[in-house]
Amino acid sequence: MSTLRGLDITSAADLGTAAGSAELLTLPWDVALEDWPEQYLAALPRGISRHVVRFAHLAGAVVAVKETTEANARREYNLLRRLERLDVPCVEPLAVVSGRVDASGEPLPTMLVTRHLRFSLPYRAVFSQKLRQDTLTRLVDALALLLVQLHLEGFYWGDVSLSNTLFRRDAGDFAAYLVDAETGELHPSLSRGQREHDLEIARVNIAGELMDLMNGGFIEPEVDPLATSERILDAYRRLWDELTGDLSFSADERWRVEERIRRLNDLGFDVEEFAIRSTADGSELVLQPKVVDPGHHHRRLMGLTGLDVQENQARRLLRDIDEFRMVHHPEMDEHESAHLWTSEVFEPVVRAIPRELSLKLEPAEVMHQLLEHRWYLSEEQSREVPLQEALSTYVDQVLRNRRDEDAVILHPTTTMLRAVSSDQEPNPSRDD
C-alpha cells in the first residue's frame, strides 16, 4: 500500500513496468473522473456502465478506470484476482485507489483500475455499421461459453449482459471476457438454481439491450431480439451438458473423443485444445471450447504446415495434429508437432496412394476423407482402428470408386459433367 497526501493505492505486488504503483501516482486522482483532462485519456470505445468509466494512458499502456464505492472496488478487485488465478477470461485488476480528495478537500469516489484488454471491444463497437443476425448469434454464443466457464469455477455473476462483457477478435478467435464482477460471488460450486438464475438474468438483459439497439437502428430490422436472447439458454445448456457429461474410455476407444468434438462442432463451437487424463478406470477427456470466425482453421493450418486447404479440411486435419501431439509428443510446442505430423503422417499417406488413383482427389481431401473413414470404422467396430488399416480399406473401397476430380469439367452446352484424360485437352465439340 502506498500513501501520498492521504491517497491509498492497493495493488498487486508485480504489475510490471507498465503499471506499477509509482506510475499510478502520475494520474490526476484529485480530479473527478468525468473531468479528467484529455491529455490523460485514451480514445477507445466504451460500453454502457452504471459508473463513470474512462480509459487512460499509463506509461505506454492503457488502463480502464472506474469510479465506485470503496467496498465495491476492493471486493471486485479481489474477485477479479481470484478469477485470474483460475484462468477465467476476465480483465486484469491492477489497483484500488481510495482516499481521494479534490482541490477543495472534498472527498471523491474510490477508483478500480484494470488493464485494458488489447484488441477487445464492447458489443456495440464490434461492427461500425449495423449488427447482423449472424454476428449477434456469435456474440451470444461467446457469452454462453463465458458463462459456462465461470459457472464451472463456481462464479455466480448476478448481472450477465452484453454490456458487462468485452469481445475480442484476434487471429480467428471470437471470445468473451468478464469486465464487471461487481455483483459476482465465488463459491466452491454452484447449484442448478444459481446457474438458472444467471441464465434468466442474461436472457432478460440481452433482450433489453437488443431492443435498445433496434430502436436506435443499429441492428438489422429482421433481427428478433427476444428469439436471439433465448439462444443463450439453449447454447448454454447444451454446452454445459457436453462439457460436464462424463466421458471415460479405454486406450482403444479414442474414436469417442472425436465423437464428443463433433457434437461440440454441431453446437457451433470449436475445440481450442483438449487433454486426456489417466484414471484408474481408463482415461478422461477434458475439452476447452471456443467460438471462432470463418477462415480460422485455414489460417492456423497454413501457419503450422504451409498446407493451403479449405476450411472444413483444415478443421479436420488440425484435430488430427492436436491428437498426434497429445498422444505422441506432449512435450513439443504446436509448431514442432505439426511439422512432425506433416512428415510422419500426412506425407506418408500421400505417398501411399497408388499413382493411378492420385488424380481422384487432392491430397488434403484424401487425408480428410481417410480420417473420416477411420472414425466411422472405429465407431462401427467399437475400437481404435490403426491409420494404416483404415488407409488400406479407404483406398480399395472408397477412393478407387471415385471419378478423377482433377479431370472433371462442366460441359459447356449441356452443363453435364464429363471426365477427360489428364494429358488430353478437353474437346468442347465432342458429345458424351
Side-chain angles (χ1 to χ4, degrees), residues 301-363:
L301 186 68
M302 174 75 86
L304 289 174
T305 67
L307 295 173
D308 186 3
V309 305
Q310 300 301 312
E311 180 71 359
N312 287 334
Q313 294 171 342
R315 181 203 294 267
R316 187 62 189 85
L317 269 55
L318 284 168
R319 281 211 300 271
D320 200 60
I321 291 173
D322 290 339
E323 182 177 355
F324 174 81
R325 175 189 178 193
M326 177 193 65
V327 173
H328 301 291
H329 303 284
E331 77 287 352
M332 287 187 176
D333 66 29
E334 64 175 6
H335 287 85
E336 286 182 295
S337 60
H339 175 75
L340 207 58
W341 175 89
T342 303
S343 61
E344 294 186 0
V345 179
F346 179 75
E347 291 176 353
V349 165
V350 173
R351 289 195 297 268
I353 302 301
R355 185 172 182 180
E356 69 273 15
L357 303 181
S358 61
L359 295 180
K360 295 285 187 179
L361 294 169
E362 60 179 343

Side-chain angles (χ1 to χ4, degrees), residues 12-39:
D14 181 15
L15 299 179
T17 58
S21 295
E23 298 290 351
L24 286 170
L25 292 174
T26 64
L27 294 174
W29 301 114
D30 58 346
V31 178
L33 184 55
E34 61 183 353
D35 298 326
W36 274 22
E38 288 190 8
Q39 68 190 75

Side-chain angles (χ1 to χ4, degrees), residues 223-268:
V223 171
D224 184 339
L226 293 179
T228 303
S229 69
E230 292 280 350
R231 179 179 174 86
I232 194 170
L233 305 179
D234 183 56
Y236 172 95
R237 288 171 181 151
R238 295 173 69 186
L239 183 57
W240 179 269
D241 289 343
E242 285 297 337
L243 291 180
T244 59
D246 292 334
L247 179 61
S248 297
F249 53 93
S250 60
D252 62 349
E253 291 182 312
R254 285 207 308 271
W255 56 272
R256 296 182 62 194
V257 176
E258 174 72 15
E259 187 177 52
R260 176 65 64 88
I261 293 175
R262 283 170 179 266
R263 290 203 298 269
L264 280 170
N265 292 158
D266 290 341
L267 293 179

Side-chain angles (χ1 to χ4, degrees), residues 80-90 149-150 153 273 288:
L80 288 172
R81 290 199 67 187
R82 293 172 67 187
L83 290 174
E84 190 180 23
R85 286 193 290 267
L86 292 171
D87 202 26
V88 170
C90 65
Q149 292 171 309
L150 290 169
E153 297 296 342
E273 61 182 57
Q288 182 179 335

Side-chain angles (χ1 to χ4, degrees), residues 9 20 36 40 66 89 93 115 139 151 153 195 256 264 283 291 299 330 353 356 359 395 401 404 411:
I9 299 178
W36 274 22
Y40 295 100
K66 177 173 75 172
R115 193 185 304 277
L139 288 176
H151 284 177
E153 297 296 342
R195 294 192 296 106
R256 296 182 62 194
L264 280 170
S283 299
V291 182
R299 291 190 295 272
I353 302 301
E356 69 273 15
L359 295 180
V395 169
N401 296 320
D404 293 2
H411 193 285

